[in-house]
Amino acid sequence: MESTIKILIYIHAFFGGIGLITGIGSIIVKKGGVLHKRMGKLFSIGMITSSLISLPICWMPKHQNIFLFLIGLFTIYLVISGNRALTFKHKQKADFTDKLISGSMLFFSVLMISIGLYCQLNAISNGILFTFFGAFGFYMTVKDFIFFKNVSEIKKKWLSKHIGKMIGALIASITAFIVAGIGLGNIITWMAPSILGTIYIMYWNRKIAPKNTKAIEV
């Protein structure tokens, strides 16, 4: 069993590495170009495959970790939602699939926050991480539903949604590399990439915002 788990971990790391490399590459190259789109597809495949493989690993003997399981779901949500944001360039309203994706993540975000609060009240380690990432997920999914309802804003905010979600998924990849690859697993290394990534998202929001209007929220 352990040898099988190790093989799965190696495959998980391999696809995670593809996601990390192509994710960084997609930021460097010209946005909207052929290379950007190709790297974006490889990034999506790498991140989703890596995350899907991590889900069963988190329930296997000696590797049980509900936090990493929920982070895996969060990463899948970010990638899928980020790609579906592109469909709003051509459609006027959210469909059932859009709402199902965001609704599912909203449920798991509330679960993460609940676990985090329980851990903090009972002095259990890593409670703050559950709360921190659960709050991020809760904020993003609530903003999704606000976005879905405001038809007049869809045409203006689809690009912001795409950028925010995809950078969020890249943050997850970078965090995984720092924590699992380098072995720096403290609270700061878990949270710092998300904080810095949020600042970067804010920068892009201002850059793509129409002149004389407020920056687009993510």
Side-chain angles (χ1 to χ4, degrees):
M1 173 64 80
E2 188 61 31
S3 60
T4 300
I5 295 174
K6 285 184 178 180
I7 292 173
L8 289 174
I9 291 175
Y10 288 142
I11 297 173
H12 158 74
F14 172 76
F15 281 100
I18 290 177
L20 177 63
I21 294 171
T22 55
I24 294 174
S26 66
I27 288 180
I28 296 174
V29 300
K30 182 180 178 181
K31 306 299 177 291
V34 175
L35 190 56
H36 174 78
K37 292 178 180 179
R38 287 178 179 174
M39 286 190 172
K41 288 181 179 179
L42 288 174
F43 171 72
S44 298
I45 293 171
M47 293 302 296
I48 290 178
T49 304
S50 179
S51 298
L52 285 173
I53 293 173
S54 74
L55 299 184
I57 294 175
C58 293
W59 296 105
M60 290 181 176
K62 299 181 181 180
H63 294 272
Q64 295 95 335
N65 193 318
I66 189 171
F67 176 70
L68 293 181
F69 175 79
L70 292 170
I71 289 297
L73 291 176
F74 191 17
T75 303
I76 293 171
Y77 154 75
L78 288 169
V79 176
I80 295 177
S81 181
N83 278 289
R84 287 194 67 83
L86 295 174
T87 65
F88 286 96
K89 183 178 181 180
H90 305 291
K91 66 184 183 183
Q92 296 296 323
K93 61 180 182 179
D95 55 31
F96 174 77
T97 303
D98 294 315
K99 295 176 182 178
L100 178 62
I101 292 168
S102 296
S104 298
M105 191 62 234
L106 178 59
F107 169 79
F108 287 114
S109 297
V110 172
L111 179 62
M112 289 181 75
I113 294 172
S114 300
I115 294 174
L117 293 175
Y118 174 82
C119 291
Q120 288 176 276
L121 290 173
N122 292 275
I124 300 174
S125 61
N126 291 333
I128 186 64
L129 292 178
F130 278 99
T131 306
F132 178 77
F133 287 101
F136 252 112
F138 183 83
Y139 172 78
M140 296 183 83
T141 50
V142 168
K143 293 294 291 183
D144 284 348
F145 283 103
I146 294 174
F147 171 73
F148 295 158
K149 288 185 177 181
N150 195 343
V151 178
S152 64
E153 292 295 304
I154 284 179
K155 286 295 184 180
K156 293 188 289 184
K157 292 189 176 182
W158 67 268
L159 180 57
S160 174
K161 288 291 178 185
H162 172 70
I163 291 173
K165 298 294 176 59
M166 299 307 279
I167 292 178
L170 177 59
I171 291 169
S173 178
I174 293 173
T175 303
F177 173 74
I178 294 173
V179 174
I182 301 179
L184 301 177
N186 54 56
I187 292 178
I188 294 177
T189 54
W190 269 106
M191 297 172 65
S194 294
I195 295 173
L196 294 174
T198 300
I199 295 173
Y200 185 69
I201 291 171
M202 292 172 63
Y203 159 77
W204 268 103
N205 281 343
R206 292 185 177 277
K207 188 171 182 178
I208 66 177
K211 294 181 179 180
N212 301 320
T213 60
K214 294 181 179 179
I216 301 173
E217 296 180 359
V218 176

